[in-house]
Amino acid sequence: MSSNVILTSSDSDKTATLPVLSGSVGPSAIDIGKLHKETGMFTYDPGFMSTASCRSAITYIDGDAGVLLYRGYPIEQLAKHSSFLETSYLLINGELPTTDEFRSFEHDVTHHSMMHESLKTFLHGFHYDAHPMAMLCGTIGSLAAFYHDTLDIEDPAQRKLAAIRLIAKIPTIAAACYRYTIGWPIRYPRNNLEYCTRFLHMMFEVPSEPLDLPEVAAKALDLLFILHADHEQNASTSTVRMVGSTGANPYACVAAGIAALWGPAHGGANEAVLKMLAEIGTPDQVGKAIERAKDKNSGFRLMGFGHRVYKNFDPRATIIREMCHKVLNALGVQDPLLDVAMKLEEAALKDPYFIERKLYPNVDFYSGLIYKALKIPTEMFTVMFAIARTSGWVAHWLEQNTTPDAKIGRPRQIYTGAPSRDYRPISGR
Ligand code: SDX
């Protein structure tokens, strides 16, 4: 049975009867599509705190219960039983693959993992000290220049090929960006290696000797990629959808997502967490950091803490915290910053300021410590996030392009500028 909400303006006789929409799980939504037509008014929700921008069947989050489902599967189960590539298949196709389906998907990703040789000259246009996120954003956007033959987004086969290309090439390009900044020769993807191992080889293998890669490294990376693969309508995914709503090509959409992810309030937080922990230095300095974070005038926030949706705990942070201890022990890494992080978490979770505001560690709080233990440089942390989130971004782009009532995103505003006035010649001003 459908239900409605009746909105009546208190200062005019305007009333709107608006339908209530429901999904399969989670909150219902008031369809305000006709509100302006019926009342002449807009809604106002600048951070989209209470706004659903679309219908999606990909990921579901219950922030109060700390639930995260990818196509209905709890993140804890995927983290325990799946792989990043299988999870990518699930996000894109909606179902877990059969053995043959996975084999075919893995073959396609593996055989699209090389990047065009001309992209190497692109990289040489950057200074050696360019931030890898700047390089990645520019290079991924430029991929559209190489695939004129498959940019028809009305063609399902071309959409799927673009999705495969992006998932396949972003690790290769990310590793190439890193190696360019340290002056190492680019390593080509090796088809006999699985996705994460292949990436780590492209990152760290040198021509002069074989890479001695600890087994735990690829497993830890694969788990981190699963946990970062998608997260509903977060800022970068919403950006991909906004750009996609104009009919832009998928490479431009993902480049825009990379740009949005870079911000320290979003994916840039993992890099900011490491810098914050290093700045705090030792566990005995944690109290001062907590006080600074509570002081509105300090401009300082505990990076890796808080979340727009999770008001209990981020289930990904729980898994990463546990993995952090295991990986550092397995690699024999003693990182003093882990002691700082644990002390900071313990102090914040007991402090009324953080408790009242429901601020808990998020996905970015511990991930950087694992990346550091894997010898991935701090500047590459958000690049790692982008590699993983590319699967979610392309899944949403594909879903958006098969949504029948998809419209170009075009929000309105509350105008606060000057009312209409006449131009005055400069002599009269
Ligand atoms: C990601 O959306 C997603 O799903 C994102 C993500 C994904 O997978 O895509 O989960 C990935 O981006 C995780 C978040 C990473 N960012 C950080 O760790 C940066 C630090 N955290 C924040 O800046 C903040 O918590 C946000 C951006 C994550 C959430 O911001 P909100 O929901 O807009 O909350 P807010 O800024 O309105 O803060 C509410 C209150 C404020 O205090 P009051 O004005 O009520 O007194 O909490 C305070 C804030 O000052 N606050 C913090 C804080 N985060 C919020 N105070 C100190 N330290 C913090 N980290």
Side-chain angles (χ1 to χ4, degrees):
M1 183 189 75
S2 65
S3 62
N4 296 313
V5 159
I6 297 174
L7 291 184
T8 304
S9 165
S10 56
D11 58 3
S12 75
D13 58 354
K14 297 210 185 290
T15 298
T17 302
L18 303 169
V20 173
L21 306 176
S22 297
S24 48
V25 186
S28 297
I30 302 169
D31 181 349
I32 57 169
K34 294 197 184 102
L35 181 72
H36 183 242
K37 194 174 169 190
E38 294 188 7
T39 68
M41 288 194 284
F42 298 138
T43 57
Y44 181 65
D45 186 14
F48 307 118
M49 308 283 279
S50 304
T51 296
S53 60
C54 63
R55 286 186 170 90
S56 178
I58 298 172
T59 292
Y60 174 70
I61 302 172
D62 179 335
D64 293 328
V67 168
L68 171 56
L69 308 177
Y70 287 170
R71 298 287 189 175
Y73 293 96
I75 193 67
E76 295 82 0
Q77 294 184 26
L78 292 169
K80 192 170 177 186
H81 303 299
S82 187
S83 68
F84 172 64
L85 217 47
E86 182 184 71
T87 298
S88 299
Y89 180 99
L90 171 67
L91 289 170
I92 289 172
N93 296 290
E95 296 297 336
L96 288 167
T98 61
T99 304
D100 289 345
E101 287 167 338
F102 181 72
R103 190 174 293 132
S104 165
F105 181 69
E106 184 173 45
H107 175 275
D108 290 347
V109 170
T110 298
H111 290 82
H112 280 283
S113 56
M114 278 183 67
M115 69 183 200
H116 197 289
E117 273 302 282
S118 301
L119 280 176
K120 287 166 73 172
T121 51
F122 275 54
L123 298 181
H124 289 116
F126 292 104
H127 283 185
Y128 76 94
D129 58 354
H131 194 289
M133 278 297 278
M135 299 169 80
L136 189 71
C137 190
T139 313
I140 293 294
S142 73
L143 286 179
F146 294 87
Y147 300 116
H148 303 291
D149 60 332
T150 49
L151 286 184
D152 174 6
I153 62 173
E154 300 305 321
D155 176 353
Q158 292 188 40
R159 291 201 297 266
K160 208 74 171 225
L161 178 54
I164 294 276
R165 277 175 165 153
L166 281 158
I167 292 171
K169 294 182 194 302
I170 195 159
T172 308
I173 293 170
C177 291
Y178 167 60
R179 293 181 71 106
Y180 173 73
T181 61
I182 59 173
W184 283 9
I186 286 173
R187 302 302 287 162
Y188 289 94
R190 286 165 44 180
N191 290 355
N192 64 318
L193 300 176
E194 62 80 28
Y195 194 86
C196 288
T197 307
R198 180 162 65 228
F199 170 68
L200 290 170
H201 271 258
M202 290 190 284
M203 280 285 287
F204 299 119
E205 191 177 35
V206 290
S208 37
E209 61 184 23
L211 176 66
D212 176 18
L213 190 66
E215 199 185 319
V216 68
K219 283 198 170 60
L221 192 59
D222 194 271
L223 178 52
L224 283 170
F225 280 0
I226 290 173
L227 298 174
H228 285 81
D230 193 52
H231 214 236
E232 198 205 71
Q233 304 309 320
N234 58 85
S236 54
T237 301
S238 297
T239 301
V240 169
R241 280 181 171 262
M242 177 62 91
V243 176
S245 76
T246 70
N249 70 73
Y251 308 104
C253 294
V254 169
I258 293 169
L261 186 75
W262 196 0
H266 190 16
N270 55 17
E271 179 178 348
V273 167
L274 252 290
K275 288 178 178 165
M276 173 188 73
L277 295 175
E279 188 189 313
I280 294 169
T282 52
D284 64 323
Q285 295 303 310
V286 157
K288 285 182 195 159
I290 293 279
E291 290 314 308
R292 272 181 70 203
K294 291 157 60 176
D295 173 8
K296 295 286 178 228
N297 300 319
S298 73
F300 173 76
R301 282 192 166 189
L302 284 193
M303 303 314 281
F305 258 79
H307 199 276
R308 171 61 59 74
V309 178
Y310 290 122
K311 298 306 177 190
N312 189 331
F313 63 95
D314 183 336
R316 303 167 297 175
T318 307
I319 297 169
I320 293 176
R321 182 196 301 116
E322 192 183 312
M323 180 174 66
C324 189
H325 292 284
K326 283 185 191 158
V327 169
L328 269 61
N329 289 339
L331 293 173
V333 170
Q334 295 288 331
D335 189 341
L337 294 184
L338 177 57
D339 300 331
V340 178
M342 288 166 56
K343 182 75 178 168
L344 190 60
E345 180 184 26
E346 180 195 348
L349 294 183
K350 282 193 280 196
D351 189 291
Y353 173 94
F354 294 89
I355 295 169
E356 285 156 17
R357 290 166 180 80
K358 300 184 178 182
L359 302 175
Y360 296 87
N362 59 46
V363 69
D364 293 305
F365 189 63
Y366 280 100
S367 55
L369 289 168
I370 298 173
Y371 289 138
K372 184 168 176 265
L374 299 180
K375 297 189 174 31
I376 290 166
T378 309
E379 292 70 34
M380 284 289 289
F381 287 5
T382 309
V383 171
M384 309 304 285
F385 198 146
I387 293 172
R389 191 51 58 90
T390 294
S391 296
W393 288 334
V394 299
H396 283 271
W397 178 75
L398 289 170
E399 181 181 66
Q400 174 182 47
N401 277 283
T402 52
T403 303
D405 61 350
K407 290 183 177 304
I408 187 169
R410 206 286 186 208
R412 300 304 301 273
Q413 62 178 15
I414 293 178
Y415 177 64
T416 57
S420 177
R421 52 183 170 166
D422 295 327
Y423 180 83
R424 290 179 295 121
I426 193 164
S427 58
R429 293 175 204 156

